[in-house]
Amino acid sequence: MTQRTGYVAIVGRPNVGKSTLLNRILGQKLSITSRKPQTTRHQILGIKTEDDQQVIYVDTPGIHKLQDKAINRYMNKAATTAVKDVDLILMLIDRMRWTDEDEMVLNTIKGQRAPVVLVVNKVDFVKEKDELLPWLEEVSKKHNFEQIIPLSAKTGHNVDRLEHLIESYLPESQHFFPEDQITDRSSRFLAAELVREKIMRQLGDELPYAMTVEIEEFVHNGTLIDISALILVERATQKAIVIGDGGSRIKQIGQDARKDMEVMFDCKVMLKLWVKVKAGWSDDERALRSLGYDDRIG
C-alpha cells in the first residue's frame, strides 16, 4: 500500500476559527478555543492518520497588525514561519468579511511555493445565502486560489469536502508519526493550554492578554496525574481578578480545566493553581523564552 503524508498549514487573522477547524478534523479537542482574538499563541501540530494517509496540520496564531510587544511579534513569527515547506496552505476567513488583516495574511502567503485553498468559515451565520456566491466570486479575484470552500468548522458542514481535497495534495511518503499520535506537543504543554483557555473564557474582557500559564509539576503515578500550574499576570489588580471573591473564580477555573484534562489524559487529575505577578513578562524576550515561547520558530 502506497503511503501518503503531507503538512498543511492553517493560517488566518485572529478569531476566524482555525483551532475549531483543527479540533473538528481531528475529532477531539487539541487546540484551545475562546471567543477572544489571539487565543492561540503557538504553532501546534495536529496529526490525523487514516489507513495509508497521514495529514500533519499546523495550527497557528492569528496574524495581526499589533506588534507593540514581544509576545505579539512572537505570534506573528510563529504563524509566518509555519507556511514554509508545507504541501498546502489553508487560509481561513470569517464568512463574508475581508479585513486589512486578511489582506496582511494573504500578502504573507503569496510568496510561498505551496498552493492555497481559501476556506470561508462560519457560513452557517450567513443569513442571506443568495449573497454568498457573488461575494465568493469577488473574493476569488484577490489571488489564484486552488479552490474556495465555504464551511462551518463548528457544525462540521462541508468539512469532509475540505478533507477530501486535502488528500489530493498529499505526496507519496512514509508516515512521519505513529498512527495513534495526534500531536507533537507534550502533556505539560496541553495542560497549560487548558488552564489558559478556562481563564480566557471565565474572565471575558476583564483581563487583557498579559496572562500566561506555566506547569511547575506534572507527575503521573499510574491512576492519578498531579499537576501544579502557575498563572502569571503583570499586575496585582489582575491577580485579584483571577482569584475572584473568596477564591471563587480560580476555583471555577480549576474545576473546568480539570474536567477537560481528565478527558484528554484519560486519567484522574489533581490540579493545584497559583497566581503570581511577574511585571512585563509579555514584553520581555528572555522571559518569553523561559516560558516556552520560542521553541518552534527559527
Side-chain angles (χ1 to χ4, degrees), residues 139-181:
V139 84
S140 70
K141 299 171 185 174
K142 292 182 177 292
H143 182 67
N144 185 26
F145 297 110
E146 293 287 305
Q147 280 201 40
I148 298 178
I149 297 189
L151 55 71
S152 169
K154 188 174 182 180
T155 68
H157 171 69
N158 240 11
V159 172
D160 55 346
R161 181 182 160 202
L162 175 63
E163 287 195 81
H164 189 68
L165 175 64
I166 290 166
E167 288 172 6
S168 68
Y169 288 91
L170 299 180
E172 288 188 15
S173 169
Q174 293 293 309
H175 293 171
F176 300 149
F177 296 93
E179 64 177 44
D180 59 346
Q181 187 172 342

Side-chain angles (χ1 to χ4, degrees), residues 21-293:
L21 177 62
L22 177 61
N23 291 341
R24 168 66 64 176
I25 287 171
L26 295 178
Q28 59 184 291
K29 182 170 185 164
L30 176 63
S31 286
I32 66 169
T33 60
S34 82
R35 293 186 178 185
K36 303 295 174 290
Q38 299 166 35
T39 301
T40 300
R41 290 179 177 171
H42 303 265
Q43 284 182 23
I44 298 174
L45 294 191
I47 305 157
K48 183 169 183 176
T49 307
E50 284 190 338
D51 302 324
D52 60 334
Q53 319 227 37
Q54 183 172 88
V55 188
I56 303 154
Y57 294 94
V58 189
D59 188 19
T60 64
I63 297 173
H64 54 289
K65 287 185 170 182
L66 196 64
Q67 301 258 17
D68 59 336
K69 287 191 173 182
I71 191 167
N72 299 109
R73 295 191 292 273
Y74 163 85
M75 288 192 286
N76 273 349
K77 189 176 180 185
T80 54
T81 57
V83 299
K84 297 176 180 176
D85 303 320
V86 296
D87 300 289
L88 185 66
I89 298 170
L90 305 181
M91 179 181 168
L92 261 69
I93 59 173
D94 183 347
R95 54 201 136 156
M96 293 169 62
R97 297 176 184 170
W98 188 276
T99 69
D100 289 347
E101 285 186 328
D102 291 316
E103 199 68 42
M104 183 177 171
V105 174
L106 183 58
N107 288 333
T108 299
I109 63 180
K110 267 182 176 177
Q112 305 301 322
R113 64 169 186 82
V116 181
V117 172
L118 184 67
V119 178
V120 184
N121 190 24
K122 307 183 187 180
V123 293
D124 46 322
F125 289 110
V126 177
K127 291 177 180 174
E128 303 297 332
K129 302 294 185 189
D130 57 339
E131 294 178 4
L132 184 59
L133 192 57
W135 188 83
L136 293 177
E137 288 175 356
E138 194 61 33
V139 84
S140 70
K141 299 171 185 174
K142 292 182 177 292
H143 182 67
N144 185 26
F145 297 110
E146 293 287 305
Q147 280 201 40
I148 298 178
I149 297 189
L151 55 71
S152 169
K154 188 174 182 180
T155 68
H157 171 69
N158 240 11
V159 172
D160 55 346
R161 181 182 160 202
L162 175 63
E163 287 195 81
H164 189 68
L165 175 64
I166 290 166
E167 288 172 6
S168 68
Y169 288 91
L170 299 180
E172 288 188 15
S173 169
Q174 293 293 309
H175 293 171
F176 300 149
F177 296 93
E179 64 177 44
D180 59 346
Q181 187 172 342
I182 65 153
T183 186
D184 64 333
R185 287 293 190 171
S186 69
S187 297
R188 292 176 76 103
F189 172 85
L190 297 172
E193 287 288 273
L194 286 175
V195 174
R196 193 164 63 81
E197 176 189 66
K198 302 313 173 193
I199 296 168
M200 295 189 81
R201 289 189 171 193
Q202 274 278 324
L203 296 179
D205 297 322
E206 292 179 65
L207 190 72
Y209 292 89
M211 169 275 298
T212 195
V213 178
E214 184 178 15
I215 301 298
E216 295 196 309
E217 183 182 43
F218 191 104
V219 180
H220 198 323
N221 55 23
T223 57
L224 179 73
I225 303 176
D226 228 319
I227 300 172
S228 293
L230 179 63
I231 301 165
L232 291 177
V233 294
E234 297 204 318
R235 295 194 297 275
T237 52
Q238 295 166 351
K239 179 177 178 178
I241 291 170
V242 174
I243 292 171
D245 293 337
S248 59
R249 185 167 270 151
I250 197 168
K251 182 179 179 183
Q252 188 63 54
I253 289 165
Q255 287 175 350
D256 293 348
R258 181 180 53 77
K259 286 177 186 174
D260 273 12
M261 288 177 190
E262 290 184 341
V263 172
M264 179 173 278
F265 302 137
D266 194 23
C267 186
K268 290 289 287 180
V269 171
M270 179 75 73
L271 175 63
K272 297 185 283 291
L273 299 178
W274 316 92
V275 188
K276 180 180 174 182
V277 177
K278 186 178 176 73
W281 73 264
S282 65
D283 200 25
D284 181 338
E285 293 191 1
R286 183 182 293 177
L288 287 171
R289 281 195 296 274
S290 74
L291 291 165
Y293 278 89

